[in-house]
Amino acid sequence: MIGAHRKIYVLLGNPVGHSLSPLMHATAFREMGVHALYIPFCADNAEEAVRDIQTLGIEGASVTLPFKTSIMPHLDEVDESARRIGAVNTIVRRQGRLVGYNTDWIGLVRSLGGSTDIRDSRFAILGAGGAGRAAVFGILQEGGMPLVVNRTPEKGRALAREFGCRFHPFPDMATLKADGLIQTTPVGMWPDTEATPAAREHLGRFKLVMDIIYNPLRTRLLREAAEAGCAVVDGLEMFVRQGAEQIRLWTGREPPVGLMRKVVWDRLKKAENEDRADKES
Ligand code: ATR
């Protein structure tokens, strides 16, 4: 069995083919001298996947779509933050028990905190899915004030009510007041890169705009926000920081964040250049 020699970590999702997590984590483990494999695990069913992780002796997992919520009842324990967010993106084997955590919110506040003070600042969170929930939770944890903006009012209102913050429907984007905008919907993600969830003329009021999308690195939203004079934060930093936190949970050691950022950035740039060359040819 491979596990007798090396610890095995997996990326659990469906699909898993395009993720940059295997590259990032394998690079980190190599640099740290951790004798481990990190491999994609494409599953059909959350319950079966947890059983496989248990019986194969897998040490830990990153969890991605569509299993972040459906996996929760099958784990032995779920940490308090992940329970409040309602999503697990990390599994750690602890004394034979599989424990679920959420590092997305930590990635988000670390990347945002590099550019602005979260405490006492107001952030409009665009979107009320899993990433939106992690953003609301993270902002509250750091002493900031989130407000939720969502296309479907019922969903946005429910999230706002649960966390005791305000809700605004989409048309309010034209008037609402906040220090920052955090975009958590899939709008603008490759290949639909000309889509944007917020009109250019509404961006200048924010000091900072963050997009959690990292492919492309510079979404249309961020391009227009920068043109409007806002500070911008792209999704790469959040992706790297949530991954770094996973390594910390799995190994108890400090991850090589700079190297992790570099390999992911290089790969994204390479893909962008190839895409541009394809379009030009
Ligand atoms: P995740 O869990 O990854 O965050 P999700 O649960 O699919 O993803 O949530 C995506 C969020 O993006 C939702 O808030 C969704 O809005 P609705 O609640 O109205 O569905 C939002 N979203 C997705 N596509 C959108 C679009 N084209 N315009 C505006 N919001 C969109």
Side-chain angles (χ1 to χ4, degrees), residues 65 126-132 150-153 155-156 170 184-187 197 212:
L65 300 178
L126 210 53
N150 196 48
R151 175 179 62 179
T152 308
K155 199 166 159 190
F170 244 64
T184 74
T185 80
V187 181
I212 70 157

Side-chain angles (χ1 to χ4, degrees), residues 126-127 149-153 167-174 176 185 187 196-198 202:
L126 210 53
V149 181
N150 196 48
R151 175 179 62 179
T152 308
F167 167 74
H168 289 272
F170 244 64
D172 283 10
M173 278 297 291
L176 63 81
T185 80
V187 181
T196 184
H202 300 152

